[in-house]
């Protein structure tokens, strides 16, 4: 499980004196714990926890990377390159724990297969296609990139 791998990496980073890695991994564990708590809440905004724990952890990691990329964009615009470099270092630590992502060609093939199975023909079917894509490939797919590919497949 990814959660166990993160815990082991944190211990290794602490023993090795890697302060930046330790701080980032503690942030990761905190975000995962917060997501666990949100999933248990009766009126949870995030919905119930996925059945597969790795799906939950990957969702958290992908969200953290997205937040850091947005921060990097703002730091670069504001000429704060040292802060952008720090965010890039955090992304590198977080990405170690993500499963290998599907290539664009594999993603397109998966979208076409789902589109054919569901009989999707237009933009009105985007939600159904995205839901099925997420159900099948959530841990190995960047859903924000997949969204653009699904739009292109349904529009054309």
């Amino acid at each position: 499980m990814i959660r166990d791998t993160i815990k082991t990496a944190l211990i290794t980073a602490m023993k090795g004196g890697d302060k930046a890695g330790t701080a980032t991994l503690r942030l990761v564990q905190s975000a995962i714990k917060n997501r666990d708590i949100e999933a248990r809440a009766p009126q949870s905004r995030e919905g119930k926890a996925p059945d597969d724990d790795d799906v939950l952890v990957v969702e958290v990691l992908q969200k953290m990377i997205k937040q850091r990329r947005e921060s990097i964009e703002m730091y670069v615009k504001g000429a704060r390159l040292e802060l952008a470099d720090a965010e890039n270092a955090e992304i590198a630590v977080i990405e170690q724990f993500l499963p290998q992502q599907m290539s664009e060609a594999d993603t397109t093939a998966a979208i076409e297969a789902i589109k054919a199975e569901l009989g999707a023909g237009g933009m009105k079917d985007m939600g159904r296609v995205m839901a099925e894509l997420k159900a099948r490939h959530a841990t190995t797919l960047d859903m924000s990139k997949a969204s653009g590919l699904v739009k292109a497949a349904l529009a054309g």
Side-chain angles (χ1 to χ4, degrees):
M1 288 174 59
I2 298 172
R3 193 182 293 248
D4 297 332
T5 308
I6 293 170
K7 191 178 212 176
T8 304
L10 175 61
I11 293 168
T12 304
M14 288 190 309
K15 287 181 180 177
D18 178 6
K19 290 184 180 181
T22 300
T24 301
L25 291 169
R26 283 188 173 144
L27 285 172
V28 169
Q29 283 194 317
S30 176
I32 292 169
K33 188 167 279 190
N34 287 340
R35 178 64 173 88
D36 288 342
I37 291 167
E38 287 173 6
R40 283 192 306 231
Q43 299 294 316
S44 176
R45 190 170 53 89
E46 298 287 329
K48 74 173 195 70
D51 295 331
D52 182 4
D53 185 58
D54 281 353
V55 171
L56 179 137
V57 174
V58 167
E59 283 176 4
V60 170
L61 295 177
Q62 287 174 335
K63 184 175 181 180
M64 290 180 78
I65 288 173
K66 181 180 178 195
Q67 290 168 338
R68 276 148 187 79
R69 287 196 174 122
E70 291 169 356
S71 296
I72 289 169
E73 205 174 291
M74 287 190 287
Y75 290 145
V76 169
K77 284 180 185 173
R80 300 292 310 267
L81 299 180
E82 71 282 357
L83 295 174
D85 291 341
E87 296 287 325
N88 268 323
E90 287 186 7
I91 287 174
V93 171
I94 295 168
E95 282 181 336
Q96 297 173 33
F97 303 101
L98 285 174
Q100 181 65 40
Q101 299 292 294
M102 289 173 69
S103 69
E104 191 169 326
D106 291 342
T107 303
T108 304
I111 290 168
E112 289 301 323
I114 291 170
K115 187 175 145 184
E117 280 179 38
L118 298 177
M123 291 304 290
K124 66 180 181 352
D125 297 316
M126 181 157 175
R128 289 181 31 221
V129 173
M130 286 297 293
E132 189 62 29
L133 194 62
K134 185 174 183 177
R136 293 184 191 180
H137 305 288
T139 59
T140 58
L141 197 56
D142 180 348
M143 294 308 289
S144 60
K145 290 178 184 173
S147 175
L149 295 172
V150 170
K151 278 182 188 169
L154 292 174

